[in-house]
Amino acid sequence: MALIRINGIPTADCPTSLLPYRGSKRALQFACTCSLAQQKGNTEMETVQKKLWGGRFEQSVTPAVEKFSESVSFDRKLYKHDIQGSRAHATMLAQQGLISMEDMENIISGLNEIERRIESGEFLWRTDREDVHMNIEAELIDLVGDPAKKLHTARSRNDQVATDVRLWCRDSMDKIIHKIMDFQVALIKLADSYKDLIIPGYTHLQRAQPLLLPHLLLAYVEQLERDIGRLKDCQQRMNYCPLGSCALAGTGLPIDRFATASALGFIEPLRNSVDAVSDRDFLLEFLSVNSILAVHLSRIAEEWVLWASEEFGFLTPSDAVSTGSSIMPQKKNPDPMELVRGKSARVIGNLTTLLVLCKGLPHAYNRDLQEDKEPLFDSTETVIAMLEVSTEFAYNISFNEERIAKSLTAGHLDATTMADYLVYKGVPFRTSHEIVGKSVALALSKGCQLSELSIAELRSVNPAFDEDVYKYLGVQNAVGWFRSFGSTGKACVMEELRLWKDKVVRR
């Protein structure tokens, strides 16, 4: 016999005859379990695969069904929250006199040992025990005996998994929020390093108006702050406890659902047992928030990928966050941000998967909901990775001020400010818009900037122009005239930057 490890975790003693097996790791794990049982005969096979729910069954499930149905290969991520919920449940059962204090102590001691074994890599995850819940409960029975058989009193896997997933999501949201904050700090530091840098702003990917670079970077920060708000809103709505709802109808036993909800940090128990076990709207909302966040990150990535190109040349990533080409030695690619842009598709796809999964399910619990875990885990892990690499990228880029300055002469970015000048002179805006349009056409015909047109040339377009018009022309002057709240004016942007720096310090 040989001990087989799947992803570093011991799974089963396997006959050495199977060691040259060429299938997947998951299939090998299953084959080992089945082969071991078959070698011991049919009686032993039923012993190996005996289910905690198998009292009415006379036959074991077939290997194909076993393999197809198991979820422990991915839902064991919930082990910590499953144990956390079981501790709270055992404590409540003892407080309500449904089990003795001694039984509770034995159960909690056994759960603590199982948690230690899992975290040290000693725990044997078995596919014949189906999922994380049955693996832990069966191991607990092996450890402490009959007291462990009392743990599932007034509890079903239906409310158990709904509780575990809510606990997991709540913790994961905290992680994502902290990662967003880290990215915000990187963006704020970047903005603080380039306080006076003017860049061309774009609409329709066409030159539009001049912007201070910090104004654009802080736009990213504002969007990310709304993502934090959405996560906190979602977290608040999901923070209600399903535990004690049992399979779908609750229980006739005198449990205290408010006690377990409080022990687990929930606001209160969910009020309807059918709703508690059957709806995954909290996951749909979480994955929706992740998708919006992923879209924000993808848009930032797209902008930075464009700006790193030779055509723009506005920013340069350091070698530490760039890759090269296998064939073109001159290439330096901003691949991390291209992957951020690409991975947003996975996050959006996970939301779509879950929406389709849930759309046709009758109430209450259906086994289809086992399939909610992998999209949930992948969405969360992908978003965290996207945030981490975006933060790393932000700390490893520099903006090419000389190249940006040269780009500001194209596109007549001061045209709108020129129109505002005419408004100050009493010209209706629609008229001033037309006048400036003709002035731009004149400048284009002469191959010059608006600021390079003489006063005589400007007055040939309209007599409202005077010598003071030049105070409004050129990107430096144009930016100086912005003064509305939230605009790109220097005073507004510096105040915004100061407020964000203060907010970061207070966190």
Side-chain angles (χ1 to χ4, degrees), residues 168-319:
W168 189 91
C169 288
R170 196 174 67 189
D171 288 350
S172 297
M173 287 178 184
D174 285 337
K175 291 177 186 175
I176 294 172
I177 288 169
H178 282 104
K179 295 298 181 182
I180 293 174
M181 290 178 178
D182 289 344
F183 189 30
Q184 286 178 309
V185 169
L187 292 168
I188 291 165
K189 288 182 177 179
L190 203 54
D192 200 38
S193 299
Y194 292 94
K195 288 191 182 77
D196 300 314
L197 182 57
I198 298 173
I199 61 169
Y202 294 84
T203 62
H204 310 280
L205 209 56
Q206 303 292 321
R207 299 288 178 87
Q209 291 177 286
L211 292 175
L212 284 170
L213 176 63
H215 194 52
L216 178 62
L217 295 174
L218 293 177
Y220 303 159
V221 174
E222 295 282 351
Q223 292 161 12
L224 292 166
E225 189 70 7
R226 290 194 294 275
D227 292 320
I228 290 174
R230 276 183 282 268
L231 281 164
K232 288 182 176 179
D233 288 346
C234 178
Q235 194 176 52
Q236 181 80 359
R237 264 186 295 280
M238 78 160 50
N239 199 27
Y240 291 82
C241 187
L243 198 57
S245 297
C246 300
L248 78 160
T251 179
L253 295 170
I255 63 172
D256 184 350
R257 293 189 61 213
F258 286 88
T260 48
S262 176
L264 293 169
F266 288 109
I267 295 169
E268 62 181 32
L270 283 160
R271 302 180 68 86
N272 185 291
S273 60
V274 174
D275 174 54
V277 301
S278 65
D279 205 350
R280 293 298 186 268
D281 58 349
F282 66 97
L283 293 185
L284 294 172
E285 185 175 6
F286 184 21
L287 269 62
S288 297
V289 174
N290 278 353
S291 296
I292 295 170
L293 170 58
V295 168
H296 280 152
L297 296 175
S298 182
R299 293 187 69 191
I300 295 169
E302 167 69 1
E303 206 146 64
W304 286 0
V305 168
L306 282 174
W307 285 12
S309 68
E310 291 292 340
E311 284 71 22
F312 278 78
F314 287 0
L315 69 79
T316 301
S318 75
D319 291 354

Side-chain angles (χ1 to χ4, degrees), residues 53-66:
W53 45 258
R56 77 172 297 272
F57 291 82
E58 296 180 0
Q59 290 179 303
S60 299
V61 298
T62 67
V65 169
E66 186 86 77

Side-chain angles (χ1 to χ4, degrees), residues 344-379:
S344 65
R346 280 178 63 170
V347 179
I348 296 166
N350 286 325
L351 169 61
T352 303
T353 297
L354 201 55
L355 285 165
V356 176
L357 174 70
C358 293
K359 74 172 183 64
L361 295 183
H363 290 72
Y365 182 80
N366 297 274
R367 189 66 178 268
D368 312 50
L369 290 175
Q370 177 175 299
E371 294 300 304
D372 64 2
K373 311 296 181 305
E374 289 177 291
L376 168 65
F377 297 153
D378 185 68
S379 174

